[in-house]
Amino acid sequence: MNATLTAVALSLVSAVAYASAAVAQARLAGRSEPGAGVFRMLGRAAWWSAVALNAGGALLHVAALKYGPLTLVQPLGALTLVAAVPLGARAAGRRVTGTEWHGTILTLLGLGALLLTAGGTAPHETLSLGEALAVGAATMAVVAGLSRPGTRPGLRHAAASGITSGVASALTQTLTVAATDHTGPLFSWRLVTVALLVSAFAMGGLLLAQTAYQGGLGAPLAVVTLANPIAAAVIGLALLGERLQGGTIALIPALLGSAAAVRGVILLSRAQGETMSLADRARTEPAPSAQSRVVIGSPRTRDDRLVLSPEPGGTRVGGP
C-alpha cells in the first residue's frame, strides 16, 4: 500500500472513530440530568468509551499526517459528519432523512474530486523554527480579531476554532515527520516550541468551539468543519511545498469539488442541528400524559372549602 492509500485509510478510520465518539457523547448527554457535573460523568463507562474513541481518532489522524499531505488529510475530516449520519440515526432509532442523504452524497462527491487533485507523496518538508513562530503569531492575531465583540459571535468563534485546529494539525505534521525521520535531535528548541504551539492551539480550538456552539450547532459546526482544512491547506501550499496534481488545470475540479463538499457539509450540519433541537425539545417538554387540566368538584370538606378534583389522568391541585 502506497503512502496515499495509507493516509486515506487512516483518515477514514479516524473519521469513524470521531463520529462514534460524538454519537456516544450525544447519547450520554440525552440520558444525563440537566446540570450534571463532570465528576458524575467520570463515573460512567460511556464517558470513558467516548474518550477512548476520541483519543483513537486523534492518534489515527496524526498517523495519517505522517503519510499524506495536509491538502489530502485535512479535507477528509469532513467524513466525520458523513459517518455520524447513519450512526446517529441508528442510535436514535430513526431513518436517515432526505437532507442527510443529499448532504452525504454531495460531500462524498466533493471529497472524491479533491482526492484526485491532492498531492500524493508523503510529506518530507517541515516548518523551521522561524516559520512555526510566524504561523503561531499570525494565527493568534487572526483569532484575536475574530474574538472581538461584535455581531455573529458564534460564527466568528467557529471560524477561529477551525483555524486554530487546522494550524494545530499542520504543526503536528511537522512534529511527526521530524520525529520519525530522525533528521535532527528529538529534543531541539524547534520541536519543543512546535509541541507547545500544538498543545495551545488544540486546546484553544476546543474552547472556541464550545463557545461557538452555545447559540446552536448547525451553522457553527459547518464553519468549523470548513475552516479547518482551509487553514491547513494554506500552510501546506505556502510553506511545505505541497502542490496539486495536474498543475493549474487541476484547479477546476478542485474548486468544483470544494463547492460540492461545502454544500454537503452545510446540509449535514443543518440536519444535525435540527435533530439536536428536536431532541432537546423532547427532553424539556412535558409528557402528553402529564396533563394539568382540573375540574371544579363539589365541596366535600367539613369547613366547606373549595376542592379541585382532577379528571382521570390529570393533576390534583387542591383538597385533602
Side-chain angles (χ1 to χ4, degrees):
M1 184 180 294
N2 60 29
T4 300
L5 293 179
T6 301
V8 172
L10 290 171
S11 297
L12 291 175
V13 182
S14 174
V16 173
Y18 277 130
S20 301
V23 172
Q25 287 177 297
R27 294 186 66 185
L28 180 60
R31 294 195 300 264
S32 302
E33 297 178 1
V38 176
F39 290 104
R40 294 188 63 181
M41 294 289 188
L42 296 179
R44 299 190 177 187
W47 168 259
W48 291 109
S49 299
V51 171
L53 287 168
N54 274 316
L59 291 175
L60 290 166
H61 180 72
V62 171
L65 290 172
K66 162 64 181 174
Y67 294 101
L70 292 167
T71 51
L72 172 67
V73 174
Q74 289 303 113
L76 292 176
L79 289 175
T80 299
L81 283 173
V82 174
V85 168
L87 292 175
R90 180 180 178 86
R94 63 175 181 84
R95 294 183 178 181
V96 178
T97 66
T99 301
E100 290 172 331
W101 278 120
H102 191 191
T104 298
I105 293 172
L106 283 176
T107 302
L108 292 176
L109 290 176
L111 291 178
L114 289 175
L115 288 178
L116 296 176
T117 59
T121 59
H124 296 289
E125 296 188 30
T126 58
L127 297 174
S128 64
L129 178 59
E131 290 173 336
L133 291 174
V135 167
T139 303
M140 287 187 284
V142 172
V143 170
L146 291 172
S147 301
R148 295 176 60 186
T151 59
R152 298 183 180 275
L155 296 183
R156 288 188 288 105
H157 286 146
S161 174
I163 291 171
T164 52
S165 299
V167 171
S169 292
L171 294 171
T172 299
Q173 186 183 71
T174 286
L175 198 63
T176 304
V177 172
T180 56
D181 286 354
H182 306 290
T183 55
L186 186 59
F187 295 100
S188 62
W189 280 110
R190 179 176 70 118
L191 294 187
V192 171
T193 302
V194 170
L196 292 175
L197 289 173
V198 168
S199 301
F201 287 139
M203 183 59 66
L206 289 175
L207 295 176
L208 287 165
Q210 189 67 37
T211 303
Y213 296 153
Q214 289 179 355
L217 185 66
L221 181 59
V223 173
V224 170
T225 305
L226 297 172
N228 185 315
I230 292 174
V234 168
I235 296 174
L237 294 172
L239 300 176
L240 296 176
E242 296 184 6
R243 296 291 183 269
L244 297 177
Q245 293 186 3
T248 307
I249 194 65
L251 287 175
I252 298 177
L255 292 175
L256 292 176
S258 299
V262 166
R263 179 59 179 167
V265 167
I266 291 174
L267 289 175
L268 289 174
S269 301
R270 183 184 303 165
Q272 190 170 15
E274 292 173 353
T275 301
M276 293 192 67
S277 297
L278 291 175
D280 292 339
R281 192 181 309 165
R283 288 197 298 267
T284 56
E285 287 183 349
S289 60
Q291 300 177 7
S292 58
R293 293 179 298 151
V294 295
V295 176
I296 300 178
S298 59
R300 298 186 290 107
T301 58
R302 286 173 298 181
D303 54 357
D304 293 334
R305 289 178 302 171
L306 182 64
V307 178
L308 299 182
S309 176
E311 287 184 346
T315 303
R316 189 182 185 96
V317 297

